[in-house]
Amino acid sequence: GAVVSQHPSWVICKSGTSVKIECRSLDFQATTMFWYRQFPKQSLMLMATSNEGSKATYEQGVEKDKFLINHASLTLSTLTVTSAHPEDSSFYICSARGRAPTSWTYEQYFGPGTRLTVT
Amino acid sequence: DQQVKQNSPSLSVQEGRISILNCDYTNSMFDYFLWYKKYPAEGPTFLISISSIKDKNEDGRFTVFLNKSAKHLSLHIVPSQPGDSAVYFCAASAGGQNFVFGPGTRLSVLP
């Protein structure tokens, strides 16, 4: 099946620093990658959608200058949280969708998530 | 305005019995639905999908039912096992584009 990895799985950083989270599709080419954020006991909130080689599309209320997304290749997308603050502490999850038409056309495969704690 | 609702935040079921998780949506343009299972501190795992041309899809112990007129879908797990204890999200999309997730239902299967 489709495997998506994230690195790191857990990161603690100081307020004001930047953190980069990587999302990789290991056995398929991900034309589209999604970044989600989940607060405790809440649903997944879509932050942005990125297509390989183009700028990410951010959801309303998500600061694009704070959450920098780069989808440089068909297997890698990165999310950089710039000038992190304690309120950015959350669980960040990426997902990837393969090239259509495939059996994965409409299915998103999720990474294991990254727990960010900003102190 | 929640387009996808899961009105039961939690559900407890005895091992071996049936678990029924419900999901309602408001957007009539939604035509493709997914169920995901999520353990704490892990990413969601895809379970089963259904498109609007069907009213039922089955995969092993998991069956999803879709009632388009009622804008309602449900996930049945039979028989329920302790390892099924997790949070279950339904997600809906129009044309397979970006999915909207429900708030999730926490299922506890009691031994």
Side-chain angles (χ1 to χ4, degrees), chain B residues 89-110:
Chain B
F89 293 96
C90 71
S93 79
Q97 298 304 313
N98 297 347
F99 283 87
V100 178
F101 284 79
T105 296
R106 181 175 300 280
L107 174 65
S108 299
V109 180
L110 309 173

Side-chain angles (χ1 to χ4, degrees), chain A residues 46-97:
Chain A
L46 179 65
M47 298 174 65
T49 303
S50 73
N51 293 295
E52 187 261 340
S54 61
K55 289 184 178 180
T57 301
Y58 290 81
E59 295 298 301
Q60 192 173 13
V62 178
E63 300 175 58
K64 61 181 181 181
D65 294 330
K66 181 169 185 59
F67 298 99
L68 301 178
I69 292 172
N70 185 289
H71 192 164
S73 75
L74 285 171
T75 59
L76 174 65
S77 176
T78 60
L79 167 68
T80 302
V81 183
T82 62
S83 187
H85 292 286
E87 56 266 29
D88 298 324
S89 299
S90 189
F91 193 58
Y92 292 86
I93 305 174
C94 74
S95 72
R97 188 165 66 199

Side-chain angles (χ1 to χ4, degrees), chain B residues 70-85:
Chain B
K71 295 193 182 68
H72 175 84
L73 64 156
S74 61
L75 174 68
H76 292 211
I77 306 174
V78 182
S80 301
Q81 300 173 354
D84 296 329
S85 297

